Amino acid sequence: MSSPLFRTKKVEQSILDTEEPEHALKKSLSALDLTVFGVGVIIGTGIFVLTGTVAKNNAGPSVALAFAAAGVVCALAALCYAEFASTVPVAGSAYTFSYASLGELPAWIIGWDLVLEFALGTAVVAVGWSGYVQSLMGNAGWEMPAALGSREGADGFGFDILAAALVLVLTAILVLGMKLSARITSLVVAIKVTVVLVVIIAGAFFIKGDNYDPFIPKAQDVPPGESLEAPLIQLIFGWAPSNFGVMGIFTAASVVFFAFIGFDVVATAAEETKNPQRDMPRGILGSLFICTALYVAVSIVVTGMQHYSELSVDAPLADAFKATGHPWYAGFISFGAAVGLTTVCMILLLGQTRVFFAMSRDGLLPRFFSRVHPRFKTPHRPTILLGVVIAVLAGFTPLNELAALVNIGTLFAFVVVAIGVLILRKTRPDLHRAFRTPWVPVIPILSVCASLWLMLNLPAETWVRFGIWMAAGFLVYFAYGRTHSLLGKHRETTVDDVLKPPPTNGETP
């Protein structure tokens, strides 16, 4: 498009930017590292909490089908992410992909959206981690002072010191280097996956067939609502979705989608991958497949151990073992959840810093933040800044009502990436694509439709908050980003110079 707001950044220029010494990230990750990162960030509070919530309120034993449906939505998006990540192996994920296909303003908006998604996601998970740790401490007879523990338990001033401390420690680890982060993640993911496998294997011995009857409970209409807490689709069309029944499965899918958030973070590490063309698709698709299989298996086991109407909402996995007379497993599961959430926080924080770094390197944010550490080759400045901000956010701010913003932010990114695949296929058919999304344009179109469907099932209140954040993003772009954009200063001409054949026969370059 001719408008400067939709000027695109050539893929070649994006790749060239990664070779500038003071702005270049160290390449140290393999396909296994990426898969571990994906599993580490996906398996979190969703598997340990949401299973009981959606089974009891939306789908009954068919919650397994809801997890499968949400997994399909993510798989459609993952196929699009895999093509982009292998074609444009540059930090920034959906932001970088959008800059190459849709233009500068859409890229800025999606980058602004990802900053919100990862910041809130990190803070929400840190608070959840703090809750698990405080619960384990309580079992051992240790109690945190009310003012330094959960904000809900504080009278007046309250600061969740454990949540803030976790974010700061993980910030330090990310500054020290990606390989160290990968090693710590591998250890923690091994513990977390072991806990999930214990639930599946041990729980299988306590399944009662009667608990699956009926597998899809009879539909129950939800009373019509007029408040902003109602799903947007209900306010627009006056259609009241059903709990239980076949439609209840899709309602549940929009809720359990939160359990899959994070696989797209793998794409933000493309620039730090040794062989991104080969390893990025393997890491993205492999981690998603593993986690979907584990989610479906866990939900089948848990709803078989205890009738869905009796499942706990706060800790369904642990309480299901308590109900069968095996409290030891409950403590083991709580420990695994507390340990496992550390990787979720770290990888979400990793994703945010890489998006921030990429936007800074393009001039849309101050270039001060795009210089890497001379020794560790990590973007230490944005990592420290964002780590401190999120630590304060996790310590002070009540986040429960804002958690849905993480869902809508992720789904919005899915829509943009899928559209970007279609546009880049048309505008740059010459690009080498190590991985190609199959059945284009069918897969990207299905991805857009599926993501929009889940977005419409989110509360209207979430849409209002999301709109406010996006409006703030427009203001920041027009006040700073548009005038400081390196692309706007015609830096793209360097690409033509670099790609031009070298002079021959004594010609002056």
Side-chain angles (χ1 to χ4, degrees), residues 422-507:
L422 294 174
I423 293 177
L424 201 63
R425 283 281 189 100
K426 184 176 181 60
T427 58
R428 293 297 308 273
D430 58 303
L431 286 175
H432 172 66
R433 292 168 169 83
F435 177 89
R436 298 177 67 90
T437 303
W439 303 322
V440 172
V442 176
I443 292 296
I445 291 174
L446 286 177
S447 179
V448 170
C449 294
S451 298
L452 287 175
W453 172 258
L454 293 187
M455 291 174 73
L456 288 172
N457 279 277
L458 291 170
E461 184 178 30
T462 299
W463 282 82
V464 172
R465 290 171 173 167
F466 183 67
I468 293 173
W469 176 257
M470 289 293 103
F474 276 101
L475 292 177
V476 174
Y477 173 75
F478 285 105
Y480 181 90
R482 185 168 65 97
T483 56
H484 290 80
S485 166
L486 295 183
L487 187 61
K489 297 176 180 178
H490 306 291
R491 235 187 116 199
E492 69 270 24
T493 57
T494 61
V495 178
D496 298 327
D497 295 336
V498 172
L499 297 180
K500 187 183 301 181
T504 59
N505 301 325
E507 296 177 1

Side-chain angles (χ1 to χ4, degrees), residues 89-140:
V90 178
S93 184
Y95 159 75
T96 301
F97 307 157
S98 301
Y99 215 161
S101 56
L102 300 176
E104 185 171 283
L105 180 59
W108 164 266
I109 290 301
I110 196 62
W112 186 254
D113 163 62
L114 291 175
V115 168
L116 173 71
E117 173 196 341
F118 293 148
L120 289 180
T122 305
V124 168
V125 175
V127 172
W129 175 87
S130 175
Y132 273 109
V133 172
Q134 291 179 58
S135 176
L136 290 171
M137 291 172 61
N139 293 339

